[in-house]
Each structure stands twice: as structure tokens, then as C-alpha cells.
Amino acid sequence: MRLSFILNGKRKVMETEPDRRLLDLLRKDLHMTGTKEGCAEGECGACTVIINGEAVHSCLVLACQLEGKEVLTIEGLEENGELSAIQRIFVEETAIQCGYCTTGMIMSAKALLMHNPNPTEKEIRNALSGNICRCSGYTQIIRAVKRTAAEGGC
Amino acid sequence: MESLLPKTYEEIPGCLRQMTEKSRFIGGGTDLIIKMRMGLAAPDAICYLGYVRELKEIRREEEWLSIGSCATMTEIEQDPEVREHYPALMDAAADVGSLQIRNNGTIGGNIGNASPAGDLLPVLYLYDAVLEIMGPDGVRRAGIDEILAGPGRLNLACNEAILRILLPPSTGYTSFVKLGSRKKVTISRIGVALRIEMDGDYVKEMKMMVGAIGIKPVRLEKAEEFIKGRTLNEQNILDIAAILSDYIREHVAKEFDRDYKVFASRGVVMDAFHRLRRD
């Protein structure tokens, strides 16, 4: 099928199969490997991207569901070749250990801050409850999201 | 693999005509994609109805609420009509999986997947939901229990689609509480849906649907009879919990966590009654 959608702000037209997962479209077809595959069944959140402003699992969306939609991935966050505020603050707060969960974590946090620029800790924890990190105790991650909000950027 | 992607309401019947016994509808895909990857589903065609604007809408139709089958859990949870008039549906939608799942999974998909642990099902029974179904030759309506056949099975032809879920006016106080094995991102082990109408301090009528303890939601008529004309004091609520425990002990097979459910049902029932107050 011919698929036309918006990827990180740019229109993308490609020939693909209707049952191609968005995750495979990104990683295998477009070689955008920032998005990670974890459990492949919607439990771990590693593959989270933002579609039409909402955090979703790219492992649980097919190409045939994407026509005309706006997809935002970790690659779309950088600004003029620099890390965006949320990425920089994740680094500065050591909210990254092995790094595998990080892109999903950042995309879930980004979606939260897009809807709610001043979340409470409870709201942050709720928004990230579908993202599993097996290194940290989440403390640094929560701190990074709080600081991003406090500094008014995401 | 074929894809059938109607863009407008008028294009749906044409797509339905092309569906075979092996074709599948996809709502969000949060269940179907996993099944396809496990080899449990190998559709020859996938029909996605999410581009049809009308099927995303949640709106009042006179005294009823009409929910498009492609409305997501998040859209349902946040809808002002749902929150005001069908709070048990809000409870159930808000407790499905993770935020990513709720942003993607749909009410039509939750019905179509027909899991015994389907989060919305006990609540749709509680509110006597009616489904609007389209086939190649027209539209019909049927109650949720006529359509739900058992685990993963519906009484629908392969070319029939669920378009809308219609909820009659709701009376009394309603609530839903789900017990999982952890707080978030969990599969329902027991789901209790309640509707209560009071006459002063006394219960005029109660309806109680319990999910995840049978192949379809179970109506606990014995508890409904018991509480009629009584007050909602703690002892009476504990007696209702005991009726549920007894039911589970008798009807649930040991390998489906019977002993755990017998024990845990007490807390779920108490939580469901407390939630009726919404304070």
C-alpha cells in the first residue's frame, strides 16, 4: 500500500505492507533506530512514540492505521542540531543508565508535558507507569521530568 | 494482505462486502497485533474503521449516549458525558493497561476481542449497552449479551462491524473496580460493576456484574436479592462479598486462580461500594 503520513514534521510517502508495524517501519525501513523494541506486546513502553499528540506503542500500530497522522519520534526532538531541553536534562540528571528505556521514557514524558506543562509528581508517575526501567529506581527520571517542567521546556 | 480502509461512513458497506471468514477488524490493534505475531491470527485482510469520523464520536442522542466503536479508552475516560452520567464506564476505561494502551485501544476492539478479562465488558452489561451493527446490507441493533458469545467469540458474521455502542439513560449510582495483580498496567483478575438505586437509607434496587470470573460477565442475582430493602452498612457489604466468594468457589476452576479470587473478592466488593460515593 501507499502510505502518506507526517514524520517529525515532514510529509513522508512510502510503499509498505498494511500489516507493517510502525516500529519496523521506523527501525528497519527508515533506519531510525532511536525507537527501541522491548517486549513487543505493549508492556514495557520502550517503543513509545507520539501519534497525533498522544503517547502510543509503535509496536502496536500498523501502517494501515497511520494514513495522514502525525508521528513524532525521539529523532524529531532535537532543535538545530542540539538536544532538546528534555533530552539534555535527562543527561544532566543521570536519568539514563543502560539507556534502553530512555527514548520511550522521554516520549511519554514529552507527551505529558505537551498536555500538562506543570504536572504533579503523581501525574508524572501516572504518565510514566507504562514505561519500565530496570536499572534505576525511577527517582532520577522523575526528577528530570520535574526539572524540565520547572524550566518551562520540553 | 489486503487492507480495507473506508474513509467515510458511505464507504463502509463496500469494504464489508470484501471481508471473508479469515478477515479481521482492527481497532487500536493492542490485542490483534500481538495475536498476529504469536501466530494466533493470520488474517487475509484487515479492515480499519478509524478513519471514519462518525465512529470516533461520543455524543448524546436524546436521552441516550452514543459512543463510536473507534473511540479510544482515553477519549471515553475524558468525555464529560461519560464522567457525569456513566462514571463506572469512566472507571473501567481509566484502568485499562497503560496510558499508551488507553490512547490506542478502542471500545469496539475491547468488545471484538471478547476476552473474559475485557475491562469494559462488565460495565457495558451494567448499563445494558446496545450495539449498532452494520452488515453489507444494512444496520441492526442488538444487546451486548446477544453479541458476546464466549472467549474470543462473537455472534457476528464475518462481514458485520460494530459501529456504535448505545447506552440507555442511567439511573442511580454506579461504580466499577478492577483488581489486578499490581496497581497499573495489569490484566483484570476480578472486575466488579455496581448500580444502586436508593430509597432513603434503603436499597431499592441493585445490579451487580462481575468480570473475569467466567467466560462472560456474571450477574450476581443472589447478592442483588439479598440487599434489596436493606441498608448499605458494613456488615451487609461484607455479606455481599461473601456471596461473591461463594460463587467463585463453586464456579471458577482451580487453575484460574480460584483460591486467590475467593480471598480477594472481599476487598474488591468493598472498594466498589465505597467508590459509589464519588468523594
Side-chain angles (χ1 to χ4, degrees):
Chain A
M1 66 174 281
R2 185 175 158 281
L3 169 66
S4 167
F5 69 116
I6 314 281
L7 179 58
N8 296 332
K10 296 192 186 101
R11 178 164 297 281
K12 194 99 206 164
V13 181
M14 54 197 294
E15 215 28 70
T16 186
E17 289 300 313
D19 59 343
R20 191 80 168 149
R21 296 180 306 169
L22 173 57
L23 179 67
D24 298 322
L25 217 95
L26 293 171
R27 289 183 58 87
K28 296 180 180 166
D29 303 340
L30 297 169
H31 308 295
M32 292 168 61
T33 53
T35 305
K36 305 300 179 199
E37 177 161 23
C39 66
E41 52 184 28
E43 292 279 345
C44 78
C47 70
T48 302
V49 298
I50 298 177
I51 301 183
N52 288 358
E54 308 285 352
V56 298
H57 297 115
S58 61
C59 76
L60 295 180
V61 175
L62 299 183
C64 66
Q65 299 170 286
L66 281 176
E67 184 64 31
K69 292 187 183 166
E70 286 186 38
V71 178
L72 182 62
T73 71
I74 191 81
E75 288 89 347
L77 297 194
E78 62 162 49
E79 292 153 3
N80 307 319
E82 302 281 326
L83 295 181
S84 63
I86 192 169
Q87 290 171 302
R88 178 175 49 76
I89 292 170
F90 261 68
V91 175
E92 288 172 2
E93 293 292 334
T94 332
I96 300 169
Q97 286 187 36
C98 86
Y100 205 83
C101 73
T102 307
T103 47
M105 207 61 87
I106 288 179
M107 296 317 284
S108 282
K110 166 97 182 163
L112 168 68
L113 295 175
M114 284 161 63
H115 287 283
N116 177 1
N118 294 303
T120 61
E121 174 160 342
K122 196 176 168 202
E123 288 168 332
I124 295 171
R125 287 184 177 275
N126 205 24
L128 299 183
S129 60
N131 291 77
I132 293 174
C133 169
R134 293 287 90 141
C135 299
S136 77
Y138 299 96
T139 309
Q140 307 91 321
I141 294 169
I142 307 292
R143 194 162 59 217
V145 180
K146 274 189 191 165
R147 203 185 122 195
T148 309
E151 294 183 12
C154 69
Chain B
M1 155 111 42
E2 280 291 311
S3 54
L4 302 166
L5 309 172
K7 296 288 190 310
T8 64
Y9 191 87
E10 291 70 29
E11 285 176 19
I12 301 172
C15 291
L16 295 177
R17 277 189 205 102
Q18 298 175 57
M19 294 193 70
T20 73
E21 293 288 345
K22 289 191 71 182
S23 309
R24 298 292 287 266
F25 292 99
I26 188 167
T30 57
D31 289 302
L32 180 64
I33 296 170
I34 297 170
K35 284 184 183 169
M36 285 164 63
R37 285 175 55 83
M38 289 171 75
L40 299 173
D44 60 351
I46 290 181
C47 181
Y48 175 62
L49 300 172
Y51 298 121
V52 180
R53 186 176 41 82
E54 291 89 333
L55 303 191
K56 300 279 294 174
E57 287 174 355
I58 304 176
R59 60 165 199 270
R60 282 292 281 269
E61 268 187 17
E62 293 172 10
E63 296 300 303
W64 288 51
L65 189 72
S66 160
I67 303 174
S69 62
C70 297
T72 65
M73 300 296 170
T74 300
E75 287 160 349
I76 290 168
E77 174 199 344
Q78 294 178 348
D79 183 81
E81 292 283 343
V82 171
R83 296 181 86 96
E84 186 173 346
H85 299 291
Y86 304 91
L89 181 59
M90 173 193 75
D91 296 335
D95 237 1
V96 172
S98 58
L99 181 59
Q100 292 97 316
I101 296 283
R102 294 194 296 279
N103 286 339
N104 193 8
T106 65
I107 184 169
N110 200 246
I111 299 169
N113 192 50
S115 163
D119 284 301
L120 302 192
L121 301 178
V123 171
L124 295 177
Y125 274 72
L126 185 77
Y127 290 125
D128 297 308
V130 171
L131 306 185
E132 185 180 272
I133 295 151
M134 183 187 267
D137 305 313
V139 172
R140 68 182 175 107
R141 288 185 181 186
I144 177 88
D145 193 47
E146 289 172 62
I147 299 302
L148 201 65
R153 287 184 293 115
L154 300 179
N155 292 318
L156 285 180
C158 65
N159 53 13
E160 283 188 309
I162 301 167
L163 296 189
R164 297 193 296 157
I165 293 82
L166 304 162
L167 302 180
S170 172
T171 50
Y173 302 91
T174 58
S175 71
F176 174 77
V177 167
K178 154 180 160 176
L179 173 77
S181 44
R182 54 187 176 193
K183 264 195 195 157
K184 306 274 177 191
V185 199
T186 188
I187 289 172
S188 180
R189 314 286 286 277
I190 305 176
V192 170
L194 289 178
R195 182 172 77 202
I196 293 240
E197 278 182 67
M198 301 296 289
D199 183 3
D201 287 339
Y202 299 93
V203 175
K204 193 171 156 203
E205 212 159 58
M206 175 174 86
K207 182 171 180 182
M208 181 167 176
M209 300 298 315
V210 187
I213 61 165
I215 56 171
K216 298 210 270 183
V218 170
R219 185 164 184 177
L220 211 61
E221 283 167 349
K222 196 171 167 194
E224 296 175 357
E225 282 302 314
F226 165 80
I227 198 67
K228 204 177 269 184
R230 294 178 197 245
T231 60
L232 286 180
N233 63 32
E234 185 156 339
Q235 186 53 53
N236 286 340
I237 293 172
L238 286 172
D239 285 347
I240 289 173
I243 293 171
L244 176 57
S245 291
D246 289 345
Y247 181 92
I248 293 170
R249 195 178 292 114
E250 251 174 69
H251 293 88
V252 175
K254 193 166 171 41
E255 60 268 32
F256 291 116
D257 299 329
R258 180 186 65 202
D259 297 343
Y260 168 73
K261 288 179 177 180
V262 165
F263 175 76
S265 53
R266 176 169 147 162
V268 193
V269 168
M270 294 191 70
D271 286 353
F273 275 95
H274 286 147
R275 193 173 270 187
L276 286 169
R277 293 203 303 261
R278 303 276 159 204
D279 50 27

